[in-house]
């Protein structure tokens, strides 16, 4: 009973096996997850520490980078002649120094932007009262200190003494209640870094460059946004003085400040993270409250439990689905194997059935591959036949030949073979086919690369012989010797009386030469058609041959197709080639008329298809110029050329109406999705069902800008609107407008306006007030 059920329903057996396999995998996964539950506290604590330590490391590096960039600015300023003038100035500057002050102030502002300084930067000189910042400049620092910029806990004299009271290369001091009317609306605390800006900094400094780093900016670099309320941080210098603190009310630094040290402050427990900067002589200490670990542990435990439960349910579901899918899929293979082997399905021969099924599929794939190869050969045969008979005139035809033949046409020749069989079997078609096949086999044997064989008639075969660049030394005399030997071997091995005549063209280069090569091979045979014995004949140009340009009627087909497609440049090229022959005065009047009427008939035919009642560029209905003996044939040809190009304009005009709709769709899509950071040409192309390359070229053509530049402008315009009409923070604005990062937003905005978004918003508000 069970065996009969298995034979009738093999999919249930396959399903049961697969479900048991996935069930075993589920059990193993559960055993692997159990240790994770007991390790969750350690993992959560380590993850919290790693996250905070990474942020601390980045913050200290950012602080060091600010000072290093300030030192870079000093080095670049030393190269300015205007800075040298101010450096060696003693006393109040005369009006002649105002230009130097302006030059240095402009240079400082530019460097502050290019170096990504997020600090207030200024320059002071010891022996003159000049003050220069990245926003304003003055020849009276005391006036600036009184009106625009000052430290709340220092007088002007104390400020002067702090800058120049001692010799140093770089020093840091806490900045209390810094008032800067051009940098911030409110006074701010922070750290001021002062760098010796003198040419001879081994001696007493005569100029300094200072940067004021805002406390909020520094805290934002050292702590994550969700840590600012319960974490503390402070920065101490090498002498143990606290330069900056956040949520830390104790006046002195902690005695135990090693990494992962546990301390108790104001009844709360903290774990410390420290990071030292040898470059600045600083130590940064971050305190992580113990409650943060517990919260993360609880969150992780809840997540682990959720994953365990969800994982079990999902694994069971997936096991069922995968087992069902495999059972259905394998059922078809098993049934195919059963039909091919004529055996009943049993529990023991399942994989034998599958092996037979795969063998059968492999056989079918080989057959399909053979069909594809045969199709490719058929296409190559068709392309080659087209080139030999009609020629390759257009770039499209040349590209098509290259796509299928690669570089084969870099060096080739055409060989035409005609064979005759004498005797009682001479008229049998099968005999001629056998001779053709034997001839093709021998060609494959004597040539380095397999020739392309084309059968135009029953008793002839055309071969295209391709040569590698390495075979540059091969001459037609070599080819003749090989083919002569081929004829001798064929006559020696066959019992039939066979006469084989072979014509060989010159060695050509380029698919556009294929037709000429074929004509040469035919000519070589035609000249020697009276020969009764086999032979190989090379094309030789007759000494009395006419070298005038010949008109090829096959090009008229290309002209018709180009006119219908509106390919104006191609039409112009073909007409120049065809009608240009009329300027050859060696042609007779009858030959000129034949060329003119052939081209006119082609233009007339396309005129009827495109629409004879349409208007050209002049606004009048297009007419085909007729032949008039009283007019010059060259002028008539020029009128015919203009008519043909006007027909192309009609076709192009129809296409442009479709382009206008596509332009609206593309630009509307960008306007609706500019807030997506992942907006790209690929997404636009996929949505509108066009190619990605077309999106790039179309936006460039319609807007004059690259796709990336156009999207950036749309984002900046919307960012400006949000800055003017909302109180959103810069962080929220750059995310809403689709900028990939804060730095990208600031860089693009500063490049356009010359100031940061915050300063631009304040300036616009001041103008409105």
């Amino acid at each position: 009973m069970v065996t009969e059920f298995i034979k009738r329903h093999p999919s249930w057996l396959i399903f049961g096996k697969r479900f048991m396999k996935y069930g075993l995998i589920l059990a193993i996964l559960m055993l692997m997850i159990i240790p994770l539950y007991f390790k969750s506290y350690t993992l959560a604590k380590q993850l919290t520490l790693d996250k905070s330590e990474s942020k601390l490391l980045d913050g200290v590096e950012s602080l060091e980078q600010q000072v290093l960039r300030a030192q870079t600015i000093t080095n670049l300023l030393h190269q300015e002649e205007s800075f040298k003038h101010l450096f060696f100035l003693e006393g109040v500057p005369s009006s002649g120094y105002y230009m130097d002050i302006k030059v240095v102030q402009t240079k400082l502002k530019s460097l502050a932007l290019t170096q990504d300084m997020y600090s207030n930067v200024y320059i002071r000189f010891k022996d003159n009262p000049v003050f220069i910042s990245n926003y304003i400049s003055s020849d009276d620092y005391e006036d600036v200190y009184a009106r625009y910029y000052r430290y709340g806990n220092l007088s002007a004299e104390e400020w002067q003494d702090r800058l120049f009271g001692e010799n140093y290369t770089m020093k840091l001091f806490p900045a209390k209640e810094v008032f800067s009317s051009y940098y911030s609306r409110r006074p701010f605390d922070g750290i001021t870094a002062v760098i010796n800006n003198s040419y001879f900094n081994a001696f007493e400094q005569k100029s300094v460059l200072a940067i004021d780093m805002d406390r909020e900016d520094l805290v934002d670099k050292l702590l994550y946004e969700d840590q600012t309320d319960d974490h503390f941080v402070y920065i101490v210098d090498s002498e143990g003085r606290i330069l900056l603190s956040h949520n830390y009310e104790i006046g002195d630094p902690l005695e135990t400040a090693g990494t992962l040290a546990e301390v108790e402050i104001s009844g709360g427990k903290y774990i410390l993270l420290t990071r030292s900067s040898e470059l600045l002589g600083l130590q940064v200490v971050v305190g992580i409250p113990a409650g943060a670990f517990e919260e993360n542990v609880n969150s992780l435990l809840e997540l682990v439990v959720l994953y365990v439960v969800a994982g079990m349910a999902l694994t069971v579901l997936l096991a069922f689905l995968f087992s069902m899918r495999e059972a259905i899929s394998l059922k078809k293979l098993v049934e195919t194997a059963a039909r091919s082997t004529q055996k009943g399905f049993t529990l023991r021969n399942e994989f034998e059935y599958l092996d037979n099924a795969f063998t059968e599929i492999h056989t079918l794939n080989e057959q399909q591959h053979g069909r594809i190869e045969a199709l490719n050969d058929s296409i190559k045969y068709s392309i080659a036949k087209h080139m030999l008979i009609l020629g390759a005139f257009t770039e499209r035809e040349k590209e098509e030949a290259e796509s299928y033949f690669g570089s084969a046409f870099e060096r080739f020749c055409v060989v035409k073979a005609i064979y005759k069989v004498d005797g009682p079997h001479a008229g049998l078609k099968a005999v001629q086919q056998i001779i053709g096949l034997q001839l093709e086999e021998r060609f494959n044997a004597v040539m380095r690369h397999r020739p392309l064989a084309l059968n135009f008639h029953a008793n002839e075969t055309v071969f295209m012989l391709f040569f590698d660049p390495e075979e540059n030394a091969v001459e037609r005399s070599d080819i003749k010797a090989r083919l002569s030997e081929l004829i001798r071997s064929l006559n020696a091995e066959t019992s039939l009386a066979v006469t084989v005549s072979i014509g060989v063209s010159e060695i050509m280069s380029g698919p556009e030469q294929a037709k000429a090569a074929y004509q040469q091979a035919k000519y070589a045979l035609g000249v020697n058609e009276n020969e009764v014995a086999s032979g190989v004949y090379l094309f030789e140009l007759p000494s009395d041959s006419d070298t005038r340009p010949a008109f090829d009627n096959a090009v008229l087909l290309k002209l018709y197709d180009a006119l219908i497609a509106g390919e104006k440049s191609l039409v112009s090229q073909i007409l120049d080639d065809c009608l240009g022959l009329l300027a050859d005065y060696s042609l007779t009047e009858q030959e000129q008329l034949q060329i003119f009427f052939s081209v006119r008939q082609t233009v007339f035919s396309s005129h009827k298809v495109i629409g004879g009642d349409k208007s050209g560029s002049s606004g009048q209905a297009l007419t085909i110029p007729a032949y008039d003996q009283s007019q010059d044939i060259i002028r008539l040809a020029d009128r015919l050329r203009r008519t043909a190009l006007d027909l192309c304009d009609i076709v192009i005009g129809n296409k442009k109406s479709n382009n206008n709709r596509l332009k609206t769709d593309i630009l509307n899509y960008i306007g609706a999705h500019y807030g997506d950071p992942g907006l790209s040409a690929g997404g636009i192309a996929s949505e509108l069902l066009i190619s990605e390359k077309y999106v790039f070229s179309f936006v460039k053509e319609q807007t004059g800008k690259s796709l990336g530049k156009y999207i950036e402008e749309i984002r900046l315009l919307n960012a400006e609107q949000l800055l003017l009409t909302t109180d959103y923070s810069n962080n929220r604005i750059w995310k809403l407008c689709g900028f990939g990062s804060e730095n990208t937003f600031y860089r693009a905005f500063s490049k356009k306006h010359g100031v940061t978004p915050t300063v631009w918003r304040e300036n616009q508000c001041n103008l409105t007030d």
Side-chain angles (χ1 to χ4, degrees):
M1 191 71 177
V2 175
T3 304
E4 184 64 25
F5 179 80
I6 291 175
K7 290 181 179 180
R8 295 178 59 185
H9 304 285
S11 57
W12 285 103
L13 174 62
I14 298 173
F15 172 79
K17 284 186 174 183
R18 269 67 191 167
F19 193 76
M20 291 177 60
K21 178 184 70 175
Y22 288 119
L24 179 61
I25 295 174
L26 171 63
I28 295 174
L29 288 176
M30 291 301 102
L31 293 175
M32 293 174 63
I33 291 175
I34 290 175
L36 178 62
Y37 182 86
F38 296 100
K39 290 287 186 179
S40 59
Y41 178 82
T42 304
L43 291 174
K45 182 176 180 180
Q46 190 60 46
L47 287 174
T48 303
L49 291 173
D50 291 345
K51 175 183 176 183
S52 298
E53 189 170 17
S54 175
K55 182 67 173 178
L56 174 60
L57 176 62
D58 292 341
V60 173
E61 288 182 352
S62 176
L63 181 60
E64 291 177 340
Q65 287 297 321
Q66 285 291 292
V67 176
L68 289 174
R69 289 168 183 165
Q71 291 176 336
T72 299
I73 291 175
T74 64
N75 294 333
L76 294 174
L77 287 175
H78 286 172
Q79 302 173 17
E80 293 289 331
E81 288 296 326
S82 295
F83 180 80
K84 293 179 182 179
H85 295 164
L86 297 174
F87 180 81
F88 292 105
L89 170 65
E90 295 184 1
V92 178
S94 63
S95 59
Y97 285 91
Y98 290 168
M99 183 55 69
D100 293 324
I101 295 175
K102 179 63 176 177
V103 170
V104 174
Q105 197 267 339
T106 301
K107 184 69 173 181
L108 180 62
K109 179 179 180 180
S110 174
L111 291 174
L113 284 175
T114 57
Q115 294 293 325
D116 288 332
M117 301 294 290
Y118 59 80
S119 311
N120 179 52
V121 185
Y122 64 87
I123 298 174
R124 281 279 293 109
F125 298 92
K126 182 177 181 181
D127 296 332
N128 62 69
V130 174
F131 175 88
I132 300 174
S133 77
N134 53 337
Y135 291 96
I136 66 171
S137 60
S138 173
D139 61 351
D140 186 356
Y141 77 88
E142 291 185 347
D143 179 63
V144 171
Y145 198 77
R147 298 171 59 189
Y148 304 107
Y149 170 80
R150 61 183 174 273
Y151 294 91
N153 62 336
L154 298 175
S155 64
E157 292 76 11
E158 292 173 329
W159 178 43
Q160 177 77 0
D161 183 64
R162 175 164 286 185
L163 296 179
F164 298 103
E166 58 179 317
N167 293 335
Y168 54 83
T169 301
M170 186 275 295
K171 72 175 181 178
L172 303 168
F173 60 85
K176 300 294 185 181
E177 297 182 0
V178 181
F179 170 74
S180 177
S181 61
Y182 52 81
Y183 179 74
S184 176
R185 286 185 175 182
R186 51 169 182 75
F188 62 89
D189 293 340
I191 296 177
T192 297
V194 185
I195 298 171
N196 188 347
N197 195 28
S198 303
Y199 285 104
F200 314 107
N201 53 21
F203 303 99
E204 178 184 4
Q205 64 268 36
K206 298 183 65 176
S207 174
V208 296
L209 181 140
I211 55 175
D212 296 323
M213 292 172 281
D214 194 340
R215 175 179 172 277
E216 290 187 1
D217 289 335
L218 293 174
V219 172
D220 183 60
K221 301 295 182 184
L222 297 170
L223 296 177
Y224 289 101
E225 185 176 354
D226 59 350
Q227 296 176 338
T228 55
D229 292 335
D230 55 356
H231 290 53
F232 73 79
V233 61
Y234 65 81
I235 302 174
V236 296
D237 60 14
S238 57
E239 298 179 2
R241 294 176 300 183
I242 295 181
L243 300 178
L244 178 141
S245 65
H246 171 73
N247 291 342
Y248 185 76
E249 305 299 334
I250 303 175
D252 299 322
L254 296 170
E255 295 182 1
T256 303
T259 297
L260 302 184
E262 295 186 7
V263 297
E264 185 172 345
I265 302 175
S266 302
K269 292 184 178 180
Y270 295 84
I271 293 180
L272 303 182
L273 290 178
T274 63
R275 183 72 183 180
S276 298
S277 172
E278 296 182 2
L279 175 66
L280 304 179
L282 300 177
Q283 184 181 50
V284 183
V285 179
V286 172
I288 306 174
F293 294 106
E294 296 178 0
E295 181 179 349
N296 288 339
V297 168
N298 293 334
S299 299
L300 183 59
L301 289 177
E302 292 175 0
L303 187 63
V304 169
V305 172
L306 176 63
Y307 277 159
V308 169
V309 174
M312 292 178 64
L314 182 61
T315 305
V316 172
L317 177 62
L318 291 177
F320 181 82
L321 293 177
F322 289 164
S323 300
M324 182 62 71
R325 188 183 67 175
E326 289 186 23
I328 294 174
S329 301
L330 292 176
K331 176 186 176 183
K332 298 177 181 179
L333 295 177
V334 169
E335 290 176 348
T336 301
R339 287 194 299 269
S340 62
T341 58
Q342 300 298 319
K343 295 179 181 178
F345 178 75
T346 63
L347 181 62
R348 291 175 296 177
N349 65 358
E350 169 188 353
F351 292 102
E352 181 181 348
Y353 281 121
L354 294 179
D355 181 66
N356 291 333
F358 284 127
T359 301
E360 184 174 344
I361 291 173
H362 179 69
T363 302
L364 293 174
N365 285 339
E366 287 185 340
Q367 295 173 354
Q368 184 68 17
H369 182 69
R371 294 191 195 101
I372 294 174
E373 286 189 344
L375 178 61
N376 284 334
D377 289 341
S378 175
I379 294 174
K380 291 174 69 174
Y381 181 96
S382 176
I383 293 173
K385 187 174 182 180
H386 177 93
M387 288 191 297
L388 293 179
I389 297 176
L390 299 178
F393 298 99
T394 66
E395 292 299 326
R396 183 181 305 165
E397 291 171 330
K398 296 173 186 177
E399 291 175 358
E400 186 179 52
E402 184 177 354
S403 66
Y404 277 94
F405 291 95
S407 60
F409 279 98
E410 288 184 4
R411 199 162 182 267
F412 73 99
C413 73
V414 174
V415 173
K416 183 174 182 179
I418 298 178
Y419 33 89
K420 300 176 183 178
V421 180
D422 297 328
H425 304 291
L428 295 178
K429 187 175 181 180
V431 173
Q432 294 178 340
Q433 290 177 344
I434 293 173
I435 298 300
L437 292 174
Q438 291 178 347
L439 193 62
E440 185 174 343
E441 290 178 1
R442 282 166 171 76
F443 260 88
N444 293 338
V446 299
M447 301 306 298
R448 181 173 178 180
H449 293 283
R450 177 188 174 189
L452 180 63
L454 307 173
N455 296 103
F456 289 175
H457 301 288
N459 65 332
E460 69 177 47
T461 304
V462 177
F463 296 92
M464 300 188 74
L465 309 184
F466 302 109
F467 308 102
D468 278 341
E470 302 172 359
E471 296 182 278
N472 284 336
V474 174
E475 300 293 342
R476 289 200 302 161
S477 57
D478 299 331
I479 299 175
K480 182 176 181 179
R482 295 184 194 179
L483 298 183
S484 298
E485 180 61 29
L486 180 151
I487 293 174
R488 284 193 293 271
S489 65
L490 180 65
N491 288 327
E493 295 177 11
T494 182
S495 59
L496 300 174
V498 180
T499 302
V500 181
S501 300
I502 298 177
V504 182
S505 74
E506 294 180 335
I507 296 179
M508 302 288 198
S509 177
E512 66 276 5
Q513 299 293 325
K515 182 176 181 180
Y518 177 60
Q519 297 294 335
Q520 290 180 2
K522 287 175 60 178
Y523 180 81
L525 282 176
V527 170
N528 300 276
E529 63 182 351
N530 295 324
E531 297 290 339
V532 295
S534 299
V536 178
Y537 309 106
L538 302 181
F539 170 78
E540 300 292 344
L541 186 66
S543 58
D544 58 345
S545 63
D546 188 358
T547 59
R548 293 180 303 172
F551 183 73
D552 191 347
N553 287 320
V555 76
L556 298 176
L557 298 174
K558 319 296 180 183
L559 176 60
Y560 179 82
D561 292 340
L563 284 167
I564 298 300
E567 298 176 350
K568 197 169 184 178
S569 60
L570 182 57
V571 169
S572 179
Q573 173 195 337
I574 296 176
L575 289 176
D576 287 344
D577 293 340
C578 294
L579 300 180
L581 297 174
L582 299 178
D584 185 359
Y585 293 103
S586 62
L587 294 177
T588 65
E589 182 179 355
Q590 185 63 31
E591 290 172 333
Q592 288 180 328
L593 288 176
Q594 180 182 357
I595 294 174
F596 174 79
F597 279 109
S598 297
V599 176
R600 182 186 182 279
Q601 182 60 38
T602 303
V603 176
F604 178 76
S605 299
S606 60
H607 173 269
K608 293 183 69 66
V609 173
I610 295 172
D613 56 343
K614 301 293 178 70
S615 297
S617 57
S618 62
Q620 300 178 352
L622 298 179
T623 58
I624 308 299
Y627 176 70
D628 185 350
Q629 289 183 343
S630 63
Q631 296 189 36
D632 182 60
I633 192 70
I634 302 298
R635 292 185 177 181
L636 286 174
D638 186 61
R639 286 178 53 196
L640 182 62
R641 184 180 186 278
R642 289 199 300 270
T643 301
L645 296 180
D646 285 340
L647 286 173
C648 290
D649 288 335
I650 292 175
V651 177
I652 293 171
N654 294 334
K655 290 181 179 180
K656 283 185 176 179
S657 63
N658 295 329
N659 285 348
N660 290 333
R661 176 185 57 80
L662 186 58
K663 173 185 177 182
T664 302
D665 291 344
I666 291 178
L667 299 185
N668 286 345
Y669 185 85
I670 294 174
H673 297 83
Y674 69 89
D676 179 8
L679 180 61
S680 65
I684 298 172
S686 177
E687 181 68 22
L688 301 181
L689 303 177
I690 56 179
S691 71
E692 186 173 338
K693 181 179 179 182
Y694 187 76
V695 173
F696 282 115
S697 61
F698 193 87
V699 172
K700 181 68 174 179
E701 175 186 348
Q702 299 296 328
T703 67
K705 305 177 182 69
S706 66
L707 176 63
K709 186 65 178 177
Y710 179 74
I711 294 175
E712 182 181 278
E713 287 190 358
I714 296 298
R715 287 169 173 167
L716 284 173
L717 288 174
N718 284 275
E720 292 167 3
Q721 187 66 21
L722 292 175
L723 287 168
L724 292 176
T725 59
T726 70
D727 58 353
Y728 292 167
S729 66
N730 292 339
N731 186 57
R732 185 176 182 183
I733 289 175
W734 71 258
K735 291 179 179 177
L736 288 174
C737 293
F739 289 94
S741 67
E742 183 179 2
N743 286 339
T744 303
F745 172 51
Y746 274 79
R747 189 176 296 109
F749 199 94
S750 299
K751 183 177 181 181
K752 180 178 180 180
H753 295 287
V755 294
T756 63
T758 302
V759 174
W760 185 84
R761 172 186 267 172
E762 293 174 356
N763 292 340
Q764 296 300 315
C765 291
N766 292 335
L767 291 175
T768 304
D769 296 340

